[in-house]
């Protein structure tokens, strides 16, 4: 999970030992000093409009109310593209507070640990590629996503907590269920298109680009858990290429 919750750093031995023994560590994103700045820039509107003009007064007021949980005033929201709201409205306030303090997400922490141990570190994607997944949404799709996010904040918070617990229990089936859950989605066709870009198209890219590391062996590859399960998941794609996949944890 791309979260900074300290419980995620308590690696089980089945994960810690391969990580220590690995000759190379590979993550979704490379260690690119310019990456965070690119992401921040991509989140900002650049056509002279502001978020409240795009969302309309009623929806913007609902978003502004939801953002109070994160100590974000309305003026901090107005420069943002609608899709940028999805990067924090689904996370608990404690997570945003940790990130504001500069605490690393699990993958960032693993990357720094790999570097500390002298391992070469690589990425399977670029920041620009990940940004494109969101930027390619139409404005109407972005607005629909925001409306769904704030329609039932209690439900969203419960779903996030359930996802976290599923991850901590290594319940990959429950994670897949959440990926496929379209309840409460107002525009299902748009949501399907976004899921295809966010999960399945990227699965193909990541499997293709991890081939050299798999061929060399002793590679520790860490990607978001939602990319692993199901038909079209990374594990399925690897098996179709002739790899034997064995669950160790």
């Amino acid at each position: 999970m791309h979260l900074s919750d300290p419980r995620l750093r308590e690696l089980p031995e089945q994960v810690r030992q391969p990580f220590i023994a690995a000759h190379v560590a590979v993550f979704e994103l490379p260690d690119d000093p310019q990456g965070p700045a690119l992401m921040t820039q991509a989140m900002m509107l650049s056509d002279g409009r502001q978020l409240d003009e795009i969302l309309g007064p009623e929806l913007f007021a609902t978003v502004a109310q939801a953002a109070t949980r994160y100590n974000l005033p309305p003026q901090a929201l107005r420069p943002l593209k609608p899709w940028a709201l999805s990067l924090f409205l689904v996370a608990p306030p404690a997570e945003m507070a940790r990130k504001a303090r500069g605490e690393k997400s699990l993958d960032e922490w693993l990357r720094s640990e790999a570097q500390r141990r002298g391992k070469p570190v690589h990425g399977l994607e670029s920041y620009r590629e990940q940004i494109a997944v969101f930027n390619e949404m139409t404005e109407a799709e972005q607005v629909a996503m925001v409306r769904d996010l704030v329609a039932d904040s209690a439900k969203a918070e419960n779903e996030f907590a359930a996802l976290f617990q599923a991850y901590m229990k290594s319940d990959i089936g429950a994670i897949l269920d959440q990926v496929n859950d379209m309840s409460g989605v107002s525009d299902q066709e748009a949501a399907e298109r976004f899921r295809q870009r966010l999960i399945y198209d990227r699965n193909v890219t990541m499997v293709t680009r991890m081939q050299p590391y798999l061929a060399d062996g002793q590679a520790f590859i860490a990607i978001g858990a939602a990319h692993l399960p199901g038909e079209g998941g990374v594990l399925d794609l690897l098996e179709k290429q002739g790899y034997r996949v064995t669950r160790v944890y």
Side-chain angles (χ1 to χ4, degrees), residues 18 27 34 62-63 77 101 125 165 167 170 190 194 214 221:
F27 304 93
Q34 304 302 319
T62 304
V63 168
L77 304 174
R101 294 194 298 267
E125 301 174 289
Q165 290 304 314
Y167 182 89
S170 299
F194 179 65
L214 294 175
I221 301 176

Side-chain angles (χ1 to χ4, degrees), residues 218-233:
Q218 292 292 100
F220 184 92
I221 301 176
I223 58 176
H227 292 285
L228 299 177
E231 184 176 357

Side-chain angles (χ1 to χ4, degrees), residues 62 89 146-159 184:
T62 304
L89 285 181
V146 171
R147 187 174 290 109
D148 292 342
L149 285 173
V150 298
D152 190 342
S153 57
K155 179 175 180 283
E157 192 167 335
N158 290 337
E159 287 178 347

Side-chain angles (χ1 to χ4, degrees), residues 1 3 10 17 24 36 58 61 65 100-102 107 109 117 125 130 134 149 178 189 212 214 241:
M1 295 192 82
L3 300 175
E10 298 171 8
Q17 288 301 331
V24 62
E58 184 177 346
Q65 178 59 37
R101 294 194 298 267
D107 34 345
W109 176 76
R117 294 175 180 272
E125 301 174 289
Q130 284 204 1
F134 296 93
L149 285 173
Q178 283 230 21
E189 289 186 1
L214 294 175
Q241 291 190 3

Side-chain angles (χ1 to χ4, degrees), residues 15-173:
V15 177
R16 193 176 76 87
Q17 288 301 331
F19 176 67
I20 292 172
H23 294 170
V24 62
V26 185
F27 304 93
E28 289 183 17
L29 288 169
D31 184 21
D32 180 359
Q34 304 302 319
L38 279 172
M39 178 63 76
T40 299
Q41 182 182 15
M43 292 165 59
M44 300 297 175
L45 289 163
S46 58
D47 59 2
R49 294 181 301 162
Q50 293 195 318
L51 183 63
D52 50 340
E53 298 174 58
I54 297 171
L55 298 184
E58 184 177 346
L59 181 54
F60 182 77
T62 304
V63 168
Q65 178 59 37
T68 60
R69 299 170 62 234
Y70 306 94
N71 296 317
L72 288 172
Q75 58 266 32
L77 304 174
R78 289 191 172 94
L80 298 176
K81 295 175 183 176
W83 67 255
L85 300 174
S86 69
L87 302 184
F88 67 86
L89 285 181
V90 296
E95 172 65 19
M96 299 307 298
R98 285 191 296 267
K99 287 194 172 180
R101 294 194 298 267
E103 295 189 29
K104 292 181 171 69
S105 64
L106 175 59
D107 34 345
E108 290 169 337
W109 176 76
L110 283 169
R111 184 189 294 116
S112 65
E113 281 295 294
Q115 291 170 327
R116 185 177 67 82
R117 294 175 180 272
K119 302 180 192 296
V121 170
H122 301 282
L124 297 172
E125 301 174 289
S126 70
Y127 276 88
R128 292 185 188 279
E129 286 173 323
Q130 284 204 1
I131 288 167
V133 172
F134 296 93
N135 266 344
E136 287 172 3
M137 299 174 71
T138 68
E139 192 167 280
E141 289 172 345
Q142 294 180 50
V143 172
M145 180 172 67
V146 171
R147 187 174 290 109
D148 292 342
L149 285 173
V150 298
D152 190 342
S153 57
K155 179 175 180 283
E157 192 167 335
N158 290 337
E159 287 178 347
F160 191 92
L163 183 62
F164 184 87
Q165 290 304 314
Y167 182 89
M168 295 300 288
K169 294 176 182 176
S170 299
D171 189 348
I172 202 166

Side-chain angles (χ1 to χ4, degrees), residues 179-216:
V179 169
N180 291 329
D181 184 10
M182 290 290 176
S183 62
V185 173
S186 58
D187 188 339
Q188 296 212 352
E189 289 186 1
E192 289 277 7
R193 289 193 296 271
F194 179 65
R195 181 174 62 178
Q196 180 67 36
R197 291 196 305 271
L198 181 67
I199 303 293
Y200 296 105
D201 291 350
R202 292 174 60 214
N203 289 351
V204 174
T205 297
M206 288 192 279
V207 166
T208 299
R209 293 178 182 172
M210 67 176 67
Q211 296 303 314
Y213 309 112
L214 294 175
D216 289 342

